[in-house]
């Protein structure tokens, strides 16, 4: 995590650096800082906490200069204090870093032995000292960086400024993303195209091991062998307007309400409504021969994978292994050559998922990636790229990316079933019809926003909340609990409803709201029986179901939330809406920071 930006410009940079940080605050918001170069001086301003603290510091103490770097931090090594905030600087250099320098300890010990003094607890500061040593020895900035990069292990995106070289920055990337932006007589570095959106749309993505020398005239990029290389300049589609909040109070709220549109947008790439066919992009391998699928992801994306497991197994009869990415490599999974490994990620940069992808590649798996950032590391390393078209997701809690992931995964599962001869033409037409109905059903679900806002006060005082679901709605129960935990700080757990009686039912009393997800359909009766077991023990139930379900089982519940009646295939997409809205309104009622909940960051680029 952490967001970095650098500008070598013709005009003052500090305001524009801060503006870039605003666009990246979703990457981390524990502290922030800028450093400019002016009159052979490094001018550094830093502040603990949210970005507005840095803005206040700059109001009273500006950082003049036409060259500068800036950083917004999600703490890994060292508490979120001002002294641990980036940029880290010596007398000669200042730098910002996203990632982790894994071998910082031996490097730091060596540096201390050589008499260097540290002022922070971070891993990053060692890089500042290593580069500084070289510069103090009379090396040029380029020579200094070339000498230091091979000493670093771990993951990094770096932007480095030099006291005696105004008008020059050096960037480097290994394992963490870094882009170069080209402006009119100005050149930029940034963690992503979003950070640079108001400055330029002309972007080059650095490859692994690349480093780059940036001046106002442009950039010279070198590969890990220090050979000058060309990297394509692409026009980024991200405009500053797509990342405004518009009429909404929070990004999360806006993103929840965008779901009908972005799911429709995503489906356009995966179904042909006129032909009533599922349509996947060309793939460089034979999908029919796939005998086993390994799905790997984290957090909300993992829950999308959990729903997809039901679909792959039911439709295509292909066995699926499912892992959270942080566990995957360490359990030494058995990966038969030629298997399909499927990675799901909003950002495409989550370090655990990326490491699992690389591990699978080394083990002869075909790599399919469902990802929302088509220029991300995962997208670049995929054999089969399946983009979601959710648009930038800024709220830290993932919402619209999840429903778009489900749309892609449903289409992929149906396509696999078709090529394997497990799905008839009629069944395929049915799947397409139901998926086509999803955007309208999402709209209908959103119509209950006010009703959900009105009952949120029933959940807001709780200390613990349970979510129950069965079949493909069980992952939705987990997702509901995750959403509530992360933005309202209420402890919540999701359970398979049939599992309650094996232990968790002991938690039930009148202080624990139990949210039951039970669309009518084949599993309804069983879920309702589990719900009755809870009610018999004094549990306070919030039942989320359609009109039929509520008519049958809604009586005696503390509250009910009505959903449109939908086919079970699209129920997980539609039932995502009430769990998102409930978490959202509870968080608003509690007054938490919805878009930037404590301790979190959007894109987790450390393992
Ligand atoms: C929860 C949430 C996280 C992410 C997880 C994976 O609301 O946003 O659990 O889903 O960090 O991130 P991606 O999908 O970017 O790999």
């Amino acid at each position: 995590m952490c967001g970095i930006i650098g500008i070598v410009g013709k005009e003052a940079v500090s305001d524009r650096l801060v503006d870039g940080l605003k666009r990246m605050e979703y990457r981390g918001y524990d502290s922030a800082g800028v450093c400019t170069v002016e009159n052979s001086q490094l001018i550094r301003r830093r502040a603990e906490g949210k970005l507005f603290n840095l803005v206040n510091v700059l109001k009273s103490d500006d950082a003049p200069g036409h060259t500068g770097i800036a950083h917004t931090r999600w703490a890994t090594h060292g508490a979120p204090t001002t002294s641990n905030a980036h940029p880290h600087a010596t007398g000669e250099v200042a730098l910002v870093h996203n990632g982790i320098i894994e071998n910082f300890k031996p490097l730091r010990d060596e540096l201390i032995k050589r008499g260097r003094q540290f002022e922070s607890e971070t891993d990053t500061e060692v890089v500042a000292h290593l580069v500084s040593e070289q510069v103090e020895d009379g090396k040029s900035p380029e020579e200094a960086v070339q000498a230091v990069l091979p000493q670093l292990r771990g993951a990094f995106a770096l932007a480095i400024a030099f006291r005696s070289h105004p008008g020059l920055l050096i960037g480097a990337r290994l394992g963490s993303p870094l882009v170069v932006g080209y402006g009119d007589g100005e050149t930029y570095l940034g963690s992503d195209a979003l950070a640079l959106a108001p400055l330029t749309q002309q972007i080059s993505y650095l490859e692994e091991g690349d480093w780059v020398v940036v001046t106002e005239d442009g950039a010279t990029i070198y590969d890990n062998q220090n050979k000058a290389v060309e990297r394509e300049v692409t026009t980024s589609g991200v405009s500053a307007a797509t990342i405004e909040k518009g009429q909404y109070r929070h990004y999360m709220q806006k993103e929840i309400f965008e779901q009908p549109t972005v799911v429709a947008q995503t489906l356009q790439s995966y179904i042909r409504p006129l032909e009533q066919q599922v349509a996947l992009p060309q793939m460089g391998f034979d999908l029919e021969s796939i005998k086993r699928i390994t799905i790997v992801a984290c957090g909300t994306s993992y829950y999308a994978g959990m729903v997809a497991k039901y679909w792959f197994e039911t439709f295509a009869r292909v066995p699926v292994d499912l892992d959270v990415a942080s566990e995957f490599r360490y359990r030494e999974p058995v990966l038969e050559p030629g298997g399909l490994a499927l990675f799901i990620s909003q950002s495409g940069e989550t370090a655990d998922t990326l490491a699992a992808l690389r591990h699978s590649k080394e083990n002869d798996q075909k790599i399919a990636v469902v990802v929302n950032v088509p220029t991300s590391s995962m997208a670049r390393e995929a054999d089969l790229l399946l983009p979601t078209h959710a648009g930038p997701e800024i709220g830290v809690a993932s919402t619209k990316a999840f429903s778009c992931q489900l749309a892609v995964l449903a289409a992929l599962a149906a396509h696999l079933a078709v090529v394997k001869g497990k799905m008839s033409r009629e069944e395929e037409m049915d799947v397409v019809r139901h998926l086509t109905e999803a955007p309208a059903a999402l709209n209908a679900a959103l119509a209950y926003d006010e009703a959900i806002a009105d009952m949120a006060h029933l959940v807001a005082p709780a200390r613990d909340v349970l979510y129950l679901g069965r079949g493909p709605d069980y992952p939705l129960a987990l997702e509901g609990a995750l959403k509530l935990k992360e933005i309202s700080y209420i402890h919540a757990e999701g359970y398979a409803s049939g599992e309650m009686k094996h232990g968790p039912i002991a938690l039930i009393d009148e202080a624990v709201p139990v949210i039951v997800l039970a669309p009518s359909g084949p599993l309804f009766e069983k879920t309702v029986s589990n719900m009755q077991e809870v009610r018999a023990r004094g549990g306070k139930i919030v039942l989320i179901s359609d009109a039929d379900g509520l008519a049958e089982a809604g009586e005696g519940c503390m509250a009910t939330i009505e959903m449109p009646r939908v086919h079970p295939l699209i129920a997980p997409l539609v039932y995502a809406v009430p769990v998102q809205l409930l978490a959202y309104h509870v968080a608003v009622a509690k007054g938490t920071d919805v878009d930037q909940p404590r301790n979190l960051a959007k894109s987790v680029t450390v393992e």
Side-chain angles (χ1 to χ4, degrees):
M1 30 276 288
C2 306
I4 68 179
I5 181 166
I7 304 179
V8 182
K10 291 190 290 198
E11 292 162 15
V13 292
S14 83
D15 283 356
R16 290 181 295 153
L17 288 171
V18 169
D19 191 54
L21 292 185
K22 269 187 201 141
R23 261 162 251 288
M24 285 189 293
E25 231 188 337
Y26 72 94
R27 299 178 77 97
Y29 36 81
D30 290 337
S31 63
V34 298
C35 184
T36 53
V37 191
E38 169 85 338
N39 295 332
S40 297
Q41 268 191 315
L42 294 170
I43 302 170
R44 184 164 59 142
R45 307 282 180 256
R46 299 179 295 169
E48 191 176 316
K50 295 272 171 71
L51 192 53
F52 59 78
N53 294 337
L54 176 66
V55 172
N56 285 338
V57 169
L58 284 165
K59 264 188 202 145
S60 53
D61 210 3
D62 190 20
H66 295 188
T67 299
I69 54 177
H71 186 270
T72 179
R73 178 169 188 244
W74 185 78
T76 57
H77 293 71
T81 57
T82 305
S83 59
N84 287 330
H86 299 219
H88 290 285
T90 66
E92 289 300 326
V93 307
L95 66 81
V96 288
H97 167 219
N98 171 27
I100 286 192
I101 307 299
E102 283 170 0
N103 59 335
F104 85 98
K105 185 81 179 61
L107 290 172
R108 187 179 162 114
D109 292 347
E110 285 300 315
L111 282 159
I112 289 171
K113 269 193 213 146
R114 297 203 291 268
R116 312 286 312 186
Q117 290 199 344
F118 281 77
E119 56 174 44
S120 80
E121 303 151 323
T122 65
D123 53 330
T124 304
E125 199 183 347
V126 295
V127 189
H129 282 286
L130 288 170
V131 176
S132 197
E133 273 189 337
Q134 300 289 328
V135 172
E136 289 160 30
D137 262 12
K139 301 260 176 56
S140 69
E142 291 85 345
E143 288 166 338
V145 170
Q146 261 185 58
V148 169
L149 290 181
Q151 301 178 44
L152 309 179
R153 305 272 165 276
F156 52 81
L158 296 166
I160 314 173
F162 299 82
R163 181 187 65 78
S164 335
H165 297 267
L168 177 123
L169 292 177
I170 295 189
R173 118 157 240 192
L174 187 77
S176 301
L178 190 66
V179 306
V180 180
Y182 303 92
D184 182 12
E186 296 202 325
T187 314
Y188 316 104
L189 289 171
S191 291
D192 54 33
L194 205 62
L196 305 184
L199 301 172
T200 183
Q201 300 279 301
Q202 301 305 301
I203 300 287
S204 288
Y205 292 86
L206 294 190
E207 309 244 319
E208 287 293 55
D210 282 357
W211 60 281
V212 58
V213 180
V214 172
T215 66
E216 62 179 34
D217 300 325
T220 311
I221 302 176
Y222 300 89
D223 67 10
N224 59 0
Q225 303 299 311
N226 302 320
K227 194 164 117 296
V229 285
E230 295 290 325
R231 299 289 177 226
E232 191 189 349
V233 181
T234 54
T235 304
S236 126
V238 187
S239 83
T242 57
I243 45 180
E244 301 301 335
K245 268 194 279 229
Q247 75 202 59
Y248 295 96
R249 184 165 164 202
H250 296 101
Y251 280 111
M252 182 183 179
Q253 186 190 24
K254 174 182 177 228
E255 288 158 5
I256 292 171
F257 275 85
E258 280 173 351
Q259 290 179 107
T261 311
V262 294
V263 165
Q265 228 159 266
T266 300
L267 282 170
Q268 270 175 22
S269 304
Y270 296 93
I271 55 177
R272 293 201 197 101
L274 288 181
E275 292 91 337
Q276 293 187 293
Q277 267 179 341
V278 189
L280 271 278
Q282 282 296 329
M283 43 195 98
F285 59 91
D286 172 21
L287 197 60
E288 194 193 333
S289 64
I290 296 297
K291 296 207 170 44
R292 181 162 213 101
I293 301 177
T294 306
I295 300 180
V296 186
C298 301
T300 291
S301 298
Y302 172 77
Y303 296 142
M306 213 166 157
V307 175
K309 177 178 160 77
Y310 286 90
W311 290 335
F312 282 120
E313 296 191 335
T314 319
F315 297 159
R317 308 300 301 147
V318 175
V320 173
D321 289 321
L322 179 71
D323 275 87
V324 285
S326 52
E327 288 295 318
F328 177 66
R329 286 179 302 156
Y330 305 107
R331 73 167 175 89
E332 300 192 19
V334 180
L335 298 167
E336 301 289 345
L340 180 69
L342 171 61
F343 300 88
I344 307 167
S345 175
Q346 188 286 125
S347 61
E349 301 293 350
T350 302
D352 289 317
T353 312
L354 192 55
L357 182 156
R358 290 178 180 155
H359 179 82
S360 304
K361 207 167 217 176
E362 281 160 18
N363 284 276
D364 284 335
Q365 302 299 290
K366 296 287 173 224
I367 306 296
V369 168
V370 176
V371 71
N372 196 39
V373 182
T375 48
S376 59
S377 303
M378 282 181 222
R380 289 145 177 276
E381 296 184 29
D383 299 313
L384 173 61
L385 172 61
L386 302 168
T388 47
H389 301 292
E393 193 180 64
I394 310 287
V396 162
S398 189
T399 52
K400 61 177 180 170
F402 177 71
S403 43
C404 289
Q405 288 165 349
L406 290 178
V408 174
L409 291 164
L412 177 64
H415 181 72
L416 183 64
V418 170
V419 298
K420 283 199 162 281
K422 303 282 185 202
M423 184 176 269
S424 68
R425 182 71 192 109
E426 286 69 34
E427 286 167 330
E428 182 186 7
M429 285 160 68
D430 265 357
V431 166
V432 172
R433 192 160 49 80
H434 298 313
L435 288 177
T436 318
E437 287 162 4
L442 286 163
N443 250 325
L446 286 165
Y448 293 94
D449 177 48
E450 241 180 80
I452 296 172
D454 286 347
M455 52 75 63
H457 69 278
L458 297 172
V459 177
R463 218 186 60 185
D464 306 286
V465 176
L466 294 181
Y467 284 75
L468 303 183
R470 209 174 244 272
D473 302 307
Y474 163 45
L476 263 292
L478 294 166
E479 170 61 1
L482 175 61
K483 287 284 95 88
L484 192 72
K485 272 187 273 216
E486 66 183 331
I487 62 166
S488 75
Y489 315 146
I490 296 176
H491 170 246
E493 298 291 340
Y495 277 100
S497 50
E499 188 64 13
M500 279 295 283
K501 55 188 177 292
H502 299 291
I505 202 161
L507 294 172
I508 298 299
D509 63 26
E510 60 289 349
V512 181
V514 181
I515 321 278
V516 181
L517 298 157
S520 29
L523 303 175
F524 179 78
E525 298 299 340
K526 286 223 162 21
T527 310
V528 166
S529 303
N530 303 134
M531 182 181 105
Q532 303 302 9
E533 292 155 13
V534 171
R535 185 181 289 159
R537 284 151 183 92
K540 293 270 184 302
I541 289 160
V542 177
L543 176 61
I544 310 182
S545 186
D546 46 52
D548 294 347
L550 295 185
E552 199 173 322
E555 211 182 306
C557 291
M558 171 170 77
T560 58
I561 299 175
E562 187 175 331
M563 285 290 103
R565 180 125 171 63
V566 292
H567 187 270
L569 173 70
I570 60 165
L573 277 96
V574 174
Y575 278 65
V577 171
V579 298
Q580 294 164 351
L581 285 174
L582 183 59
Y584 173 74
H585 288 299
V586 170
V588 169
K590 292 195 73 178
T592 57
D593 189 339
V594 171
D595 284 330
Q596 296 180 343
R598 69 184 180 205
N599 304 340
L600 288 169
K602 180 87 186 145
S603 167
V604 187
T605 54
V606 291
E607 276 188 59

